[in-house]
Amino acid sequence: MAVSSRRLQKELAEIQKQGTPVGITLLSADDFQTWLFSVEVLGETVYAGEVFALMFRFDGQYPIQPPAVQFLVDEKYTSPVHPHVYSNGHICASILGNEWSPVLSVVAVCVTIQSMLASCKKKERPPDNDRYVRHAPDNPKKTQFVYHDDTGIS
Amino acid sequence: MSSDYEFSDNDDFEYNDDEDMLDDDEGSASDMEMDNINDDFKIDKGPKIKVYEVEHDSLPQDAVVYLMRQDIEHISGIFGVDSEVASLLLRHMNWNKERLIEKYMDNVNAVSVAAGIAPPERSPEPSSSHGGPRRSSRLGFTKSSKSKSAEPSPPASEPFVCPICFDDTQQKTLSLTCGHLYCTACWSTYVSSKVRTEGESWITCMAENCTLVAPDSFVRTALADDTQTWARFQELLVRHFVSCMPSLKYCPYPSCTNTVSCPGAASKSALTSIVPTVHCGASDTHVFCFGCAIDTDHRPVICAVAKMWLQKCRDDSETANWIKSNTKECSKCQSTIEKNGGCNHMTCKKCKYEFCWVCMGPWSEHGTAWYSCNRYDEKASVDARDAQSRSRASLERYLQYYNRWANHEQSARLSAELYAKTEQKMEEMQLASALSWIEVQFMRKAVDESVRCRGTLKWTYSMAYYLEKGNEKELFEDNQRDLERAVEELSELIESPIDPEVIMSLRQKVTDKTVYVQKRNEIMLEDTARGFLDGRWKWNVDVEGFEKD
Ligand SMILES: [Zn+2]
Ligand SMILES: [Zn+2]
Ligand SMILES: [Zn+2]
Ligand SMILES: [Zn+2]
């Protein structure tokens, strides 16, 4: 069995056994290619009452290379308005790029993104949103983000 | 069981003096062959290095590895650390020895942490079993066939389960000195992915937030017998070293691993007086500019001016033709106005100035005389026409240089076609005359020369555009005109039809003209290069590195 599948199977078993952290729910994990989670920010937050969907896409390089992670934007879900999240759902977070570690897991990524939202005080898009969205590749992993490590994610 | 593991000085780094012999001897076999073939073309070659050439050496990868090794030994000796530590320190400081020594003397721990040699004071869990921050003087790493003390040891009966792949059949493990233990297979995939996918030679531990960096020997062990990736890793180290050295440049041609050393072009200020066109030594076609990436050979014009010109072409040329016929300048605010309808009553979008398209005079003076303009004599429109003609003149001036530049550029791009045609002609000639294959090579030589000279000419137009009016510019343009004329005449001869009756006289004409063109090109290149050295050239714009008048 490929390393990525074995690893995802193990992560899935763990989720099914131990559940997910508060505010995070597994929506679907039908294969080892695409998983979907819902993410809510609890407590005092600018996102009160909003539910977002986080989509993970894996290739054979997982977990050595990070998964492709973005917010789902469709009839049901929108992209959270956040200085590190583009309106097409792409996320600029170093943990999904140069600070990825193969020991991080899908749940760990969910938690990091959730806390990134929780620490947001003011809802606004990245300053280059329009330009980025116009030219963005379908897969956010193809984007070379310049990480703004001053806020949120660490 | 584990032992600090280290490699003795790697044999791979052993520098082989024999391999480094730079090909200095002149008149190599191929040169001599050409000389025999082209006895007709003997011209005085003068001293070995011409005024428009720059002294440079070509270094194969081994020679660069040797230079790196020397720096590593030096630092290793001064600091009393092993060579792998010295290597990481140098890589971290971009091979700046002076700054490294200064920083290291100032704060050993801080530098060691930043260089990925020692974990930070509060090391992230799992904490290392060796305890506390270390000042490492030698790097080791742990290699074991059973799980080892770094993480809370599972009972001896339980097999090691790698926290990355969860494959409990993988019992071979590795860790850096931080003790973060993973199976060898995962390390191998990780290192290989960093090197191959990301082109990264700075390979940190796989643990989250762990900043320790894999030394060479660890990389080698992790890659085991993947010699291809190991070779790529070493190439990345060499490339990084070369990119840190102002006097070195990696050959930009795909899959070439040679480096050029050109101390004479290492400073920005040097680039105001020389055009450092260099050869990497691996192949005759590996020619590039040491100072910029604009063109492989933009002699005689210096990098800064060539760059300025290309930028202007990018900005202007697309719209230039269109502008010429469809737009005018508002005589009040000078912004460009386009005419997209038939009405001559124009309003400038920017300043709202209303005027007549035909005479450029204010519309208010036109009264109700729509569509008919009879105000050419008005002072306002005369002034306006002057502004207009000034802008026209500047555009036309640019286009004049641009068209010539583009013409030579296009000819150079079509050179492959010209070579093919000439090849065919040379065969026809052999059939139509008693000339041998060697005797018809004069045609090929003529094409070589015309292509070379068109390259020179092309860039002379960018230079002339920015040269300040005056005697020097006139002399420059005289040389340019002579070269241009000679090249056009040669091209005409090359393309003239083959008439068996006159092949011998054509051969003489082409040969003579080739020699002449070669001479004109030498004069153009030499005089321009000398002008840069003498500071003779003055510009009509600000050029980086030149004093403003
Ligand atoms: Zn593993
Ligand atoms: Zn580590
Ligand atoms: Zn080369
Ligand atoms: Zn250049």
Side-chain angles (χ1 to χ4, degrees):
Chain A
M1 188 185 248
V3 170
S4 64
S5 307
R6 177 175 31 238
R7 167 65 188 259
L8 286 168
Q9 198 172 47
K10 169 89 181 169
E11 287 191 42
L12 193 57
E14 212 122 285
I15 290 169
Q16 277 154 358
K17 203 172 92 195
Q18 297 175 356
T20 43
V22 188
I24 296 165
T25 314
L26 178 64
L27 295 178
S28 73
D30 303 330
D31 52 32
F32 297 136
Q33 260 129 50
T34 310
W35 289 9
L36 217 54
F37 290 82
S38 70
V39 177
E40 274 175 274
V41 189
L42 304 164
E44 206 177 298
T45 168
V46 293
Y47 302 104
E50 294 182 70
V51 182
F52 307 105
L54 208 50
M55 178 170 75
F56 287 73
R57 280 181 286 174
F58 309 99
D59 58 20
Q61 298 238 64
Y62 182 80
I64 297 299
Q65 291 284 335
V69 184
Q70 68 178 95
F71 283 103
L72 194 63
V73 180
D74 62 8
E75 318 78 60
K76 197 168 166 204
Y77 294 101
T78 59
S79 166
V81 179
H82 183 283
H84 289 171
V85 183
Y86 292 93
S87 54
N88 64 354
H90 289 196
I91 307 161
C92 174
S94 52
I95 190 189
L96 301 174
N98 63 356
E99 277 174 26
W100 169 256
S101 153
V103 300
L104 287 166
S105 64
V106 171
V107 168
V109 171
C110 289
V111 170
T112 306
I113 301 293
Q114 187 189 38
S115 68
M116 175 185 97
L117 296 181
S119 66
C120 179
K121 300 276 176 287
K122 192 175 165 212
K123 283 172 134 186
E124 56 190 359
R125 287 286 178 211
D128 62 335
N129 185 68
D130 292 352
R131 190 157 37 93
Y132 174 76
V133 171
R134 224 175 308 131
H135 301 112
D138 166 58
N139 189 327
K141 277 183 77 180
K142 295 210 175 88
T143 303
Q144 290 274 337
F145 285 111
V146 176
Y147 306 107
H148 316 93
D149 280 323
D150 52 324
T151 35
I153 317 160
S154 60
Chain B
M1 233 160 287
S2 79
S3 61
D4 261 2
Y5 188 108
E6 62 162 357
F7 278 75
S8 60
D9 261 2
N10 287 336
D11 290 346
D12 319 78
F13 292 124
E14 203 103 320
Y15 178 64
N16 190 339
D17 277 319
D18 298 336
E19 283 175 21
D20 162 51
M21 290 305 290
L22 303 177
D23 199 15
D24 266 339
D25 44 348
E26 282 169 80
S28 64
S30 61
D31 279 351
M32 289 198 309
E33 241 165 69
M34 280 318 278
D35 280 352
N36 287 339
I37 290 170
N38 299 304
D39 269 344
D40 305 327
F41 298 101
K42 280 261 163 72
I43 60 159
D44 184 18
K45 278 194 172 168
K48 194 192 167 199
I49 286 277
K50 295 183 177 137
V51 63
Y52 57 84
E53 290 174 336
V54 62
E55 215 145 348
H56 60 279
D57 278 327
S58 122
L59 308 175
Q61 188 160 313
D62 283 350
V64 180
V65 168
Y66 178 67
L67 294 177
M68 295 165 72
R69 203 75 214 150
Q70 280 183 320
D71 279 359
I72 291 169
E73 297 307 331
H74 183 207
I75 289 300
S76 156
I78 296 179
F79 295 171
V81 297
D82 93 2
S83 58
E84 296 222 300
V85 172
S87 166
L88 284 179
L89 288 168
L90 280 162
R91 284 163 59 193
H92 166 61
M93 294 302 277
N94 288 331
W95 295 88
N96 186 331
K97 278 198 282 184
E98 289 69 35
R99 257 192 77 217
L100 170 59
I101 292 168
E102 196 182 297
K103 289 241 172 184
Y104 196 79
M105 296 309 177
D106 189 43
N107 189 340
V108 179
N109 274 330
V111 177
S112 300
V113 169
I117 295 159
E121 298 276 326
R122 281 194 304 134
S123 59
E125 47 96 44
S127 71
S128 140
S129 61
H130 306 288
R134 274 182 308 279
R135 197 203 125 178
S136 313
S137 64
R138 57 175 36 198
L139 283 173
F141 59 87
T142 314
K143 192 186 181 190
S144 70
S145 52
K146 271 197 173 178
S147 80
K148 228 303 266 174
S149 60
E151 289 177 64
S153 307
S157 57
E158 260 179 58
F160 170 78
V161 179
C162 169
I164 288 170
C165 64
F166 292 103
D167 185 347
D168 54 15
T169 64
Q170 299 286 344
Q171 291 305 301
K172 282 191 186 152
T173 63
L174 284 174
S175 79
L176 295 169
T177 51
C178 53
H180 297 124
L181 203 63
Y182 307 104
C183 80
T184 304
C186 279
W187 272 115
S188 168
T189 317
Y190 175 71
V191 169
S192 159
S193 159
K194 283 278 167 195
V195 172
R196 300 193 83 102
T197 314
E198 296 175 37
E200 182 59 80
S201 56
W202 192 253
I203 301 171
T204 53
C205 173
M206 287 196 282
E208 195 188 354
N209 298 327
C210 182
T211 54
L212 286 209
V213 174
D216 296 3
S217 55
F218 183 92
V219 171
R220 175 133 217 207
T221 303
L223 290 174
D225 24 292
D226 183 357
T227 49
Q228 239 186 334
T229 307
W230 170 245
R232 173 84 179 125
F233 174 74
Q234 285 184 301
E235 186 193 317
L236 290 173
L237 293 183
V238 168
R239 276 179 183 273
H240 175 244
F241 173 79
V242 168
S243 75
C244 295
M245 299 291 147
S247 65
L248 300 180
K249 277 255 151 68
Y250 211 77
C251 176
Y253 286 82
S255 75
C256 185
T257 55
N258 269 19
T259 294
V260 168
S261 162
C262 184
S267 71
K268 254 203 153 177
S269 61
L271 297 179
T272 58
S273 56
I274 58 164
V275 187
T277 309
V278 297
H279 293 74
C280 90
S283 155
D284 282 350
T285 59
H286 290 197
V287 177
F288 64 97
C289 176
F290 197 88
C292 73
I294 283 171
D295 197 359
T296 53
D297 183 356
H298 56 74
R299 284 178 294 189
V301 69
I302 54 166
C303 302
V305 173
K307 195 168 158 191
M308 209 157 60
W309 171 255
L310 282 192
Q311 189 56 49
K312 180 164 183 64
C313 293
R314 263 194 295 275
D315 294 349
D316 293 8
S317 70
E318 248 181 67
T319 47
N321 283 327
W322 184 81
I323 286 172
K324 213 174 163 183
S325 52
N326 291 301
T327 68
K328 287 184 178 177
E329 221 170 54
C330 169
S331 49
K332 218 169 194 178
C333 75
Q334 265 71 49
S335 65
T336 307
I337 296 150
E338 79 179 88
K339 181 172 164 59
N340 47 17
C343 178
N344 289 326
H345 178 185
M346 308 298 296
T347 307
C348 172
K349 273 200 186 105
K350 205 168 157 207
C351 71
K352 306 294 174 215
Y353 176 60
E354 292 181 70
F355 61 96
C356 166
W357 178 257
V358 180
C359 72
M360 303 300 286
W363 190 256
S364 57
E365 292 174 27
H366 283 64
T368 52
W370 308 97
Y371 300 115
S372 71
C373 174
N374 52 1
R375 304 199 58 83
Y376 283 114
D377 301 333
E378 289 292 330
K379 189 183 175 298
S381 75
V382 171
D383 284 346
R385 274 206 303 277
D386 278 353
Q388 190 70 39
S389 57
R390 270 200 302 280
S391 110
R392 277 289 163 103
S394 118
L395 184 65
E396 262 151 32
R397 178 172 175 275
Y398 162 71
L399 286 173
Q400 183 184 326
Y401 288 90
Y402 174 77
N403 287 337
R404 284 158 192 232
W405 184 85
N407 171 38
H408 289 298
E409 158 121 316
Q410 194 192 23
S411 304
R413 247 187 289 124
L414 297 175
S415 67
E417 242 168 79
L418 183 57
Y419 274 113
K421 258 199 281 175
T422 307
E423 212 64 51
Q424 207 185 333
K425 218 165 228 180
M426 284 158 68
E427 271 168 33
E428 284 172 41
M429 271 184 196
Q430 290 175 67
L431 291 176
S433 70
L435 292 175
S436 69
W437 180 81
I438 282 181
E439 285 165 321
V440 295
Q441 291 302 312
F442 72 93
M443 283 294 283
R444 201 188 161 79
K445 180 78 183 168
V447 175
D448 283 345
E449 209 49 49
S450 78
V451 169
R452 201 164 94 95
C453 292
R454 283 188 190 281
T456 308
L457 274 171
K458 177 177 101 173
W459 287 107
T460 60
Y461 283 107
S462 74
M463 174 134 171
Y465 180 76
Y466 292 113
L467 275 179
E468 198 171 86
K469 270 192 205 136
N471 268 349
E472 300 300 346
K473 182 178 184 177
E474 273 169 35
L475 287 173
F476 180 88
E477 289 189 317
D478 286 348
N479 283 333
Q480 184 187 41
R481 188 199 53 228
D482 290 348
L483 176 59
E484 172 121 52
R485 195 176 292 160
V487 172
E488 293 308 339
E489 282 166 5
L490 179 61
S491 290
E492 222 165 280
L493 283 176
I494 295 171
E495 295 184 31
S496 64
I498 296 165
D499 176 353
E501 304 287 298
V502 298
I503 282 187
M504 292 317 281
S505 78
L506 176 69
R507 179 171 185 246
Q508 196 54 49
K509 274 192 213 155
V510 170
T511 306
D512 290 348
K513 193 58 84 181
T514 306
V515 172
Y516 178 66
V517 161
Q518 210 171 349
K519 267 186 198 151
R520 297 293 349 161
N521 194 39
E522 285 289 305
I523 291 168
M524 184 86 245
L525 291 173
E526 264 178 30
D527 185 67
T528 313
R530 200 156 278 136
F532 278 115
L533 292 174
D534 300 346
R536 204 197 310 150
W537 306 122
K538 302 274 178 271
W539 311 103
N540 56 24
V541 287
D542 287 340
V543 175
E544 225 187 313
F546 283 77
E547 276 173 38
K548 288 172 200 173
D549 292 329

